[in-house]
Amino acid sequence: MNTFPDFAERFKDLISESGLSQKQIACAIGITETSVSNYISGKSEPSLKVLVAIADYFKCTTDYITGKKDESEEKIFLPCPPFSTQLKILMDKKPCSSYRLCTDANIPQASFYDWRNGKTEPNLYNVKKLLDYFDCSLDFLLGREA
């Protein structure tokens, strides 16, 4: 499943524009060459941590690399706080109960509680649901921008 269908193409383009090999990119980001290959072929999607590492390496927004925005902005972002911290901030900005969020966004409550308690982070499929629910940028959702 490709949650962000433009990701593979954008990542491939960024690699091509850099003039580096997939192996060099993999080393620079801290992932395997197989992961790079799987991402650009659409066979798999990165975790949030890897997505941020890719965006940081190429100095672009996560919104650009996932296809949520068409323009690339080269800038330095804030370090991502723990996802649980950012989730609490988002819930304060859009006052809602955890039950309401899970129901409206169709997110399993067990997953939500694991995110809120810092046990896990959402995959890109659930991130997309959160983006739609909170109606914000991916970089804001991740705490990379204020």
Side-chain angles (χ1 to χ4, degrees):
M1 169 189 342
N2 287 332
T3 306
F4 295 100
D6 293 336
F7 170 76
E9 190 64 33
R10 295 256 169 108
F11 187 36
K12 184 179 177 180
D13 289 346
L14 289 167
I15 291 171
S16 177
E17 291 167 11
S18 75
L20 300 174
S21 69
Q22 289 183 21
K23 184 176 184 174
Q24 290 170 309
I25 295 295
C27 274
I29 295 171
I31 58 177
T32 65
E33 189 175 355
T34 301
S35 292
V36 171
S37 178
N38 286 340
Y39 298 157
I40 64 174
S41 68
K43 290 181 183 176
S44 64
E45 295 180 321
S47 66
L48 286 180
K49 181 179 178 180
V50 171
L51 179 67
V52 169
I54 292 168
D56 283 348
Y57 181 79
F58 290 108
K59 295 183 177 74
C60 67
T61 66
T62 55
D63 292 290
Y64 172 75
I65 202 165
T66 58
K68 284 190 52 66
K69 285 187 179 177
D70 289 331
E71 298 293 320
S72 178
E73 299 173 50
E74 186 175 320
K75 57 184 180 180
I76 305 299
F77 292 92
L78 301 170
C80 293
F83 188 79
S84 58
T85 302
Q86 191 63 16
L87 184 58
K88 290 172 188 170
I89 291 168
L90 289 162
M91 291 186 71
D92 287 344
K93 286 189 178 280
K94 180 177 182 171
C96 62
S97 67
S98 55
Y99 175 80
R100 176 59 42 215
L101 184 150
C102 291
T103 302
D104 291 350
N106 194 26
I107 292 172
Q109 286 185 342
S111 296
F112 171 81
Y113 288 113
D114 284 347
W115 307 336
R116 192 179 74 183
N117 294 321
K119 292 181 181 177
T120 62
E121 291 185 345
N123 59 23
L124 290 183
Y125 178 71
N126 284 315
V127 163
K128 177 101 170 70
K129 291 179 181 183
L130 292 169
L131 288 173
D132 292 342
Y133 183 80
F134 289 113
D135 190 30
C136 64
S137 73
L138 181 51
D139 287 305
F140 183 79
L141 181 83
L142 298 175
R144 295 179 81 217
E145 64 182 24

